[in-house]
Amino acid sequence: MKGNQSSNPGAEDVWLSVMQPYIAGNNGPGIGGPDNLQSDQSELTYSFNYKHTHFVIVNTDPFGAVATVPVHWIGDDLAAAREKRHIKHMFVIGHKPAFPPVFSSAEQSLNSNPANRNAFWDELNANGVDAYLVAHCHVWDISQPVSPDDPSAKQVYQVVAGNGGTPLDAGWNVVEKSPYFGYTLVQIDAHDHVVVTSFGRDFDHQNYLAPSPPSVYPTTVRLSVGLGK
């Protein structure tokens, strides 16, 4: 969405009805609370553990508060997970980036509510989150944004993997010789090292919907990054 953004009162209900088989938790915040939520977010922002990893799924456009996140609930959830000795890694997964890549529009992020965005990023840094995994911008990018509240806090990675198949942002051409469609794989090895790998394929830039046979446009590793702490 670009320009003035507003909430659709029925969008959350439709999402929940269609995506119900894929929703993995229901421990998120309800109406009201310290985040002053206008609708029940318990199945839209929630968390779960898988082996030694804690995941937080975040709705970045709750009803009545577009381009924000329930930062109080997120902070409490991350702090509780951090106290569990078996948890070795934490990832937060949302739609909109906290900070847009420099070659993308600022509208494609949480920039429109900087106080909320900054508090959110501070909670991720304070609780040792490995990475914030997002899309929305039609690019691929990895960075370690600096907290505007604390320039020394530069620990959390932001991975923007929005290059799945929709026309790519024009700004990506400026920094990438051959923008590509693809997917991203995040792996934790036996030594607890986290590696983010971007796989991609080239395509016909005159007609991105044209067939892309693997013999002409093979999928290859474009970038592999270890997330050091």
Side-chain angles (χ1 to χ4, degrees), residues 28-41 69-73 76:
I31 297 174
D35 291 299
N36 195 30
L37 295 168
Q38 297 185 38
S39 63
D40 182 8
Q41 298 291 303
V69 298
V71 68
H72 294 90
W73 183 89
D76 290 344

Side-chain angles (χ1 to χ4, degrees), residues 52 81-88:
H52 300 297
R82 184 164 56 95
E83 293 299 316
K84 297 178 180 178
R85 298 177 64 181
H86 73 284
I87 296 297
K88 305 298 184 183

Side-chain angles (χ1 to χ4, degrees), residues 105-151:
S105 167
E107 290 180 309
Q108 298 183 337
S109 69
L110 304 182
N111 269 7
S112 54
N113 295 284
N116 178 271
R117 184 271 317 277
N118 293 353
F120 170 56
W121 204 248
D122 291 343
E123 291 291 355
L124 269 56
N125 272 292
N127 289 290
V129 169
D130 292 79
Y132 178 45
L133 310 176
V134 296
H136 193 58
C137 304
H138 298 159
V139 304
W140 196 92
D141 182 65
I142 185 169
S143 63
Q144 281 181 290
V146 176
S147 169
D149 294 335
D150 181 5

Side-chain angles (χ1 to χ4, degrees), residues 47-57 74-84 86-93 122-133 155-158 186 188 192 194 227 229:
S47 67
F48 61 91
N49 296 331
Y50 179 74
K51 295 185 177 180
H52 300 297
T53 303
H54 185 69
F55 294 91
V56 180
I57 308 300
I74 293 169
D76 290 344
D77 180 85
L78 291 173
R82 184 164 56 95
E83 293 299 316
K84 297 178 180 178
H86 73 284
I87 296 297
K88 305 298 184 183
H89 297 281
M90 291 195 283
F91 295 94
V92 178
I93 303 173
D122 291 343
E123 291 291 355
L124 269 56
N125 272 292
N127 289 290
V129 169
D130 292 79
Y132 178 45
L133 310 176
Q155 303 175 41
V156 182
Y157 287 84
Q158 176 178 266
V186 180
I188 302 174
D192 271 330
V194 179
L227 304 192
K229 283 289 189 174

